Amino acid sequence: VALLRLFLPSPVLEGSKAGFCSLWLNQCYLKTRVDVKESVRGQTIFIIQTIPRDVNTAIMELLVMAYALKTSCAKNIIGVIPYFPYSKQCKMRKRGSIVCKLLASMLAKAGLTHIITMDLHQKEIQGFFSFPVDNLRASPFLIQYIQEEIPLYRNAIIVAKSPAAAKRAQSYAERLRLGLAVIHGEAQCSESDMADGRHSPPCVRNTTGHTGLELPLMMAKEKPPITVVGDVGERIAIIVDDIIDDVGDFVAAAEILKERGAYKIYIMATHGLLSADAPRLIEESAIDEVVVTNTVPHEVQKLQCPKIKTVDVSMILAEAIRRIHNGESMAYLFRNITVDD
């Protein structure tokens, strides 16, 4: 097996018996060119691509590299993408597009035959691909952190910051044998509100013909006042989610939980994008600690905010590579994993 390594923040391949294939990548005037320096004919190639801040450049590098390997007659091209970009754009909104489906088609066209990723935003995204996808889970690592690093975690309660996140929170609560609380109300902005509608009115046309069907008038949604379903008084509140990017919702949720009596607030998420002013907002908020995995580089954000902690998940990615290389079953990596994790 030949391995191509790009932008990986943690030593996933330490101790691996596989060899590295030399590769030359040149960026000149915003263009990417790949030159494979040795034969890869008939080999299985793993491309390890972590997504940095410049998402589109990283995607283009991955596509060009995969296509270069495909035209060099590589047998299998497997992408190891811990955080799959554009995963939130997996639903039709107004007159937009499903960008995640487009990216899946581009990867297949470029020559990828398999993908290893972690905690897709929606499990149904796997259906966008025409080749196998191994969607690994970070929940065992985050649950282990809760048990080992949070004092008196038995006095904690798992919190979903919106009803849409309730299933994930319920899975954590059941594994840790803890209670569950859900934040619901006008302070939350649900993705489903924009998922299907075309809110702008149709063009007005002067016509004397048939006016069309008279459809029932839909009542506008009105969110109730913000409420916390569940008792968080004198408890440690642990908010769980898959992605933490714009932290505004998390900061607002922390303030509500503080008002309801929670004395410590933790945020647990798989992908710590932490864009814009996220470190400053976290530092100034009621949040005590933000725990994310190293699927996305966030060293700069950690320097700006000491509340941000990192859980290493390189072990499971390395094991997935080893098992695929040796033709072993991947079932061990998904033991005791439910659909809601």
Side-chain angles (χ1 to χ4, degrees):
V1 172
L3 299 172
L4 305 184
R5 184 173 184 178
L6 280 182
F7 303 119
L8 196 67
S10 58
V12 164
L13 301 174
E14 238 176 47
S16 173
K17 299 297 183 183
F20 283 82
C21 172
S22 61
L23 173 141
W24 182 66
L25 186 146
N26 182 30
Q27 287 185 323
C28 179
Y29 195 62
L30 303 180
K31 294 181 290 186
T32 300
R33 183 161 68 93
V34 171
D35 187 13
V36 183
K37 291 295 188 179
E38 61 186 74
S39 175
V40 295
R41 182 179 296 272
Q43 297 191 44
T44 296
I45 311 293
F46 290 86
I47 305 177
I48 303 179
Q49 176 67 304
T50 305
I51 303 301
R53 296 292 145 194
D54 192 352
V55 177
N56 295 331
T57 299
I59 291 173
M60 200 63 205
E61 287 177 354
L62 178 61
L63 293 171
V64 173
M65 184 179 299
Y67 190 67
L69 294 168
K70 177 184 177 182
T71 55
S72 298
C73 299
K75 182 180 179 181
N76 295 306
I77 305 171
I78 302 172
V80 184
I81 312 172
Y83 167 64
F84 193 79
Y86 290 104
S87 59
K88 278 196 171 184
Q89 296 189 40
C90 59
K91 297 179 181 178
M92 178 65 74
R93 298 182 181 179
K94 298 185 180 179
R95 293 181 178 86
S97 61
I98 306 176
V99 181
C100 192
K101 168 62 176 174
L102 172 63
L103 182 54
S105 301
M106 292 167 65
L107 292 173
K109 191 69 175 178
L112 265 72
T113 58
H114 194 155
I115 276 184
I116 303 171
T117 187
M118 179 167 283
D119 278 344
L120 289 169
H121 184 58
Q122 297 288 342
K123 308 300 185 295
E124 295 78 9
I125 290 175
Q126 296 177 77
F128 291 164
F129 295 87
S130 57
F131 50 77
V133 176
D134 285 315
N135 182 30
L136 304 176
R137 306 296 200 276
S139 55
F141 296 90
L142 296 175
I143 288 173
Q144 183 181 24
Y145 183 94
I146 292 173
Q147 293 172 328
E148 296 179 356
E149 302 296 334
I150 298 181
L152 302 176
Y153 83 92
R154 290 293 182 187
N155 189 40
I157 186 168
I158 304 298
V159 180
K161 70 178 180 65
S162 67
K167 284 187 176 181
R168 181 184 299 270
Q170 181 182 359
S171 177
Y172 276 71
E174 290 174 352
R175 292 180 184 280
L176 291 165
R177 312 296 193 267
L178 299 176
L180 175 68
V182 180
I183 298 176
H184 176 57
E186 60 185 5
Q188 303 301 321
C189 180
S190 174
E191 293 180 9
S192 61
D193 293 345
M194 301 183 293
D196 300 317
R198 273 72 169 167
H199 297 315
S200 57
C203 297
V204 178
R205 298 177 181 174
N206 296 324
T207 177
T208 56
H210 183 57
T211 58
L213 297 175
E214 294 185 4
L215 299 176
L217 181 64
M218 290 292 291
M219 295 182 63
K221 283 186 178 182
E222 183 176 346
K223 291 188 178 182
I226 191 165
T227 56
V228 179
V229 181
D231 183 16
V232 298
E234 300 300 321
R235 309 285 287 276
I236 300 171
I238 303 175
I239 304 174
V240 297
D241 212 338
D242 62 327
I243 299 173
I244 176 168
D245 187 3
D246 180 8
V247 298
D249 287 349
F250 292 93
V251 171
E255 292 175 356
I256 294 297
L257 293 171
K258 277 288 186 182
E259 292 175 3
R260 298 296 192 276
Y263 68 91
K264 270 196 174 182
I265 298 169
Y266 291 82
I267 310 293
M268 314 289 295
T270 303
H271 309 296
L273 306 185
L274 302 170
S275 59
D277 293 332
R280 179 182 60 81
L281 294 174
I282 292 171
E283 186 66 26
E284 297 173 356
S285 71
I287 299 171
D288 291 282
E289 197 168 281
V290 174
V291 182
V292 295
T293 71
N294 55 347
T295 56
V296 177
H298 54 268
E299 288 78 8
V300 174
Q301 288 82 350
K302 287 184 69 175
L303 293 174
Q304 296 172 350
C305 177
K307 291 183 179 181
I308 300 172
K309 307 297 180 182
T310 305
V311 174
D312 181 24
V313 293
S314 60
M315 181 192 310
I316 193 171
L317 293 171
E319 180 63 16
I321 292 173
R322 189 193 68 80
R323 286 176 175 270
I324 291 173
H325 170 45
N326 294 328
E328 299 176 17
S329 171
M330 297 284 284
Y332 179 78
L333 302 181
F334 294 94
R335 68 195 190 283
N336 300 324
I337 296 294
T338 64
V339 176
D340 297 329
D341 280 350

